[in-house]
Amino acid sequence: MRPYEVIRAKRDGEALSPRDIRALIEGYTAGQIPDYQMAAFCMAVFYRGMDEAEMAALTDAMLHSGTVLDLSAIPGVKVDKHSTGGVGDKVSLALAPLVAAAGVPVPMISGRGLGHTGGTLDKLEAIPGFRVDLSIERFVEIVGRLGVCLIGQTREIAPADRKLYALRDVTATVESVPLIAASIMSKKLAEGIDALVLDVKVGRGAFMKSRKDARTLAGALAAVGKRAKKKVVAVLTAMDEPLGLAVGNALETAEAFDVLRGGGPRDLVEVTRELGAHMLVLGKKARGLEAARARLDALIRSGEALDRMRRLVEAQGGDPRAVDDPARLPRAPAMLPVRADRTGFVTGIDAEEIGLAAMSLGAGRDRADATIDPSVGIVLERKTGDAVAKGELLAVVHHAGTDAARAGAAASRVRRAYVVGARKPRMRSKILEVAS
Amino acid sequence: MRPYEVIRAKRDGEALSPRDIRALIEGYTAGQIPDYQMAAFCMAVFYRGMDEAEMAALTDAMLHSGTVLDLSAIPGVKVDKHSTGGVGDKVSLALAPLVAAAGVPVPMISGRGLGHTGGTLDKLEAIPGFRVDLSIERFVEIVGRLGVCLIGQTREIAPADRKLYALRDVTATVESVPLIAASIMSKKLAEGIDALVLDVKVGRGAFMKSRKDARTLAGALAAVGKRAKKKVVAVLTAMDEPLGLAVGNALETAEAFDVLRGGGPRDLVEVTRELGAHMLVLGKKARGLEAARARLDALIRSGEALDRMRRLVEAQGGDPRAVDDPARLPRAPAMLPVRADRTGFVTGIDAEEIGLAAMSLGAGRDRADATIDPSVGIVLERKTGDAVAKGELLAVVHHAGTDAARAGAAASRVRRAYVVGARKPRMRSKILEVAS
């Protein structure tokens, strides 16, 4: 079929053949199919969706638009984790060395933050000297030696996805489950992994606002993974309030180090431990989730997890002393307290608002080409369920000290993000459900 | 709103403001908004539609992207007719001089054929010397002098529509009622008319296959016209079998001349007379439809209509002798008979198949830049309801004589387009309903 016919078929709700989907993606990547036809196609997919076979074909075509890593020389079941993105989500930073310490190779290619959500690469770069732009060869070498390496998407990985994502971003076609699933899975499958744990975030601070939508996305991701003969486990986790206490790059990196030291906020530890346990089971380093959790706890207690982090930082050009001494991470020169204006219990913290407040301080990007300040951010002093008295600290805004009005506006935004009520709310686990 | 936000709002089913629609069309025409954003927008409109206010704003923006003719110096109510296109539809050729002869000025800007349907311009150009590419000034002068002129869309008329139509054509977004309505009405309103009669074709040979869809389009066209303060009457006419007997440019032109001479096939006369009667009433040259029909019949009987045609042909550079002598029109050198393979009654003739057969002979275009042969085509010897004996003529294929296989294939296609049954079918009027 010609591109016109492919668009029309999808427009009218017909399922496309793998051959047609491949021709479309190959033609688009080669510049033979123009942006305007692909834009019309994406909008038709937005309304009509794709079945599993179509999603798998789209993922496969995008995956093979570039280099697919071959990690078969590295022994063991290679397992990665991917998060659909949230506020305060620094899980990857602690999880990758922790799981690697258990003997599961973790080849992780991550992204940068955009909008109210942060990105793993930005958090890693808060570590002085840390490089995320390593070559594929160096990446493979470090994964082989340390069992873990974290880099950014290179030009060789899924170029079709990069081109298509840029188009979707300006044509209001980002919010489409099959297009999201193919985008995520094409990049992850290009890493040469055997299995994948997906952290699908649900709630006000996440891309998927409802449990139903998150379940749909998780199902699509799992289906694509299975058709590519990869083991996939999707964990739905709550993203109504930020994860952990720190929001902002260096602040979050320090918090991730705390988790590896056996500390860290309870919710962050819970999510890290649960995702890690699934990775160990998939990586055949534990017989079940209980054994896996115990193994992870032991690696933290023994210091092996923290040591793996030090070696990882060093291997990627960073200063390993920053792992033990947070003073070596960038620190904002000024702080502004955010205080409660009534007594009661915190019943909710709007994660999106906290994320936008951090972005406004310079912690995140409103455009893809914006630069960020690694030191700034917000540290929550109270989380949902905590008691607070009028005048007590809710949070602290860490800012550059050069723009009092901006800092004040961010502080007001943080205060508005907090809901303080008379009754202590029921506490719920961040782990909502597991699909595989 | 930025273009991205306009696309997203339409994608999510929101109604757009006239201001946003105008900015979108102005930005697109000026080349500031790229094709890919407009393609995504058109696909969103395909699914979400537009309300009357949005269609009116879109039409108005496209109309004002170019020149809007001012015919106020010409006395009388200027009335045009537009057909949504069918097979054998040569109504405009007879109708325009006929109505002009009744004193109603008819400033008609027409199109070319594409796909299985023919175009008025191609039929006119079958007349030796006839020019359809006159300047706006010459067009206005001829309308003022003769009350009628037929030309093609110039570069000054609705350039936004030309650019948008070319984009829709390659992004599978042609089949959208609000986009069709804005496209038609922006061009027609640019002619400087006061009123418009629309011939909305319904059936297998038409763009609108069902009565319901045709009614929806007629309603949209009428609504846009009313909001632009123009009187609009929409007539739904049947397009299951071809209109009249001739399909192919010179053949159709000769048939249109027959109508002005008081002859011509019954169904073609019926449609021409009905549309003309509405034009006379809108043009205030008749008090009602009955009086209008009588006036048209008188103009044909007296020879005034045919004389107006001769003067029109002459004014546009053509040979007026062709009006009286069909031998002066291009004639195909070869003919191939199509015969019935059973005895019975013709119960249907698939207009789309006949149109495609004619196109395959060179009478029409499969691409916008294809050249056509004015002489070739198909003449139906039997129409729906006619009795036929096995071996008798159903139709005659007029062909170039250079490709026997192609002519044979066209003849087979014509034969397959005929359905011959045992019972005489109920005869129905081609006029299905009138909406205004």
Side-chain angles (χ1 to χ4, degrees), chain B residues 4 45 80-81 89 94 148 214 223 270 284 293 300 303 315 380 429:
Chain B
Y4 171 86
V45 171
D80 192 11
K81 184 232 43 164
D89 181 5
V148 59
E270 180 193 26
K284 299 192 191 301
R293 289 184 197 107
I300 290 174
L380 310 181
S429 167

Side-chain angles (χ1 to χ4, degrees), chain A residues 163-230:
Chain A
K163 188 171 178 183
L164 195 57
Y165 194 88
L167 181 69
R168 288 166 56 209
D169 197 34
V170 293
T171 54
T173 51
V174 166
E175 299 90 342
S176 159
V177 164
L179 297 180
I180 294 169
S183 175
I184 291 173
M185 294 304 288
S186 65
K187 284 178 290 198
K188 288 287 144 187
L189 296 177
E191 294 171 349
I193 53 170
D194 304 303
L196 180 64
V197 173
L198 292 156
D199 181 4
V200 180
K201 301 288 190 192
V202 193
R204 301 188 63 157
F207 196 67
M208 295 288 153
K209 307 292 182 199
S210 76
R211 186 86 80 101
K212 180 168 165 284
D213 288 349
R215 220 175 262 148
T216 302
L217 177 59
L221 292 162
V224 170
K226 266 172 206 157
R227 282 179 179 257
K229 308 223 183 329
K230 308 295 176 187

Side-chain angles (χ1 to χ4, degrees), chain A residues 4 7-8 10-12 35-37 39-41 43-44 46-48 167-175, chain B residues 4 7-8 10-12 35-37 39-40 43-44 46-48 167-175:
Chain A
Y4 170 86
I7 302 168
R8 196 177 58 177
K10 179 46 68 186
R11 185 196 76 183
D12 295 343
D35 280 335
Y36 53 80
Q37 287 191 316
F41 177 77
M43 190 58 89
F46 177 89
Y47 289 105
R48 292 294 196 171
L167 181 69
R168 288 166 56 209
D169 197 34
V170 293
T171 54
T173 51
V174 166
E175 299 90 342
Chain B
Y4 171 86
I7 301 168
R8 196 177 58 179
K10 179 45 67 186
R11 186 196 77 185
D12 296 341
D35 281 334
Y36 52 79
Q37 287 191 316
M43 190 59 89
F46 177 88
Y47 289 105
R48 293 295 195 171
L167 180 70
R168 288 165 56 208
D169 196 36
V170 292
T171 54
T173 51
V174 166
E175 299 89 343

Side-chain angles (χ1 to χ4, degrees), chain A residues 312-433:
Chain A
L312 172 67
V313 170
E314 191 161 28
Q316 296 200 226
D319 181 354
R321 293 173 301 175
V323 175
D324 302 292
D325 180 6
R328 292 183 182 273
L329 293 172
R331 291 214 276 192
M335 291 199 258
L336 201 60
V338 179
R339 298 188 186 280
D341 48 17
R342 60 172 288 192
T343 296
F345 293 92
V346 176
T347 57
I349 309 171
D350 186 325
E352 186 168 12
E353 285 297 310
I354 299 288
L356 290 170
M359 187 180 82
S360 76
L361 293 166
R365 294 177 184 82
D366 53 352
R367 302 185 320 274
D369 59 347
T371 56
I372 62 166
D373 180 345
S375 71
V376 300
I378 295 149
V379 175
L380 310 180
E381 299 289 331
R382 294 287 193 288
K383 295 263 306 204
T384 301
D386 290 346
V388 65
K390 184 175 173 178
E392 282 187 344
L393 267 185
L394 287 174
V396 177
V397 170
H398 293 240
H399 64 100
T402 52
D403 189 339
R406 191 160 76 156
S412 298
R413 193 159 199 169
V414 171
R415 190 179 296 109
R416 284 197 307 271
Y418 271 88
V419 183
V420 176
R423 287 198 191 170
K424 187 174 163 72
R426 223 179 93 197
M427 299 304 292
R428 290 188 176 84
S429 167
K430 296 288 174 193
I431 311 297
L432 301 176
E433 57 185 82

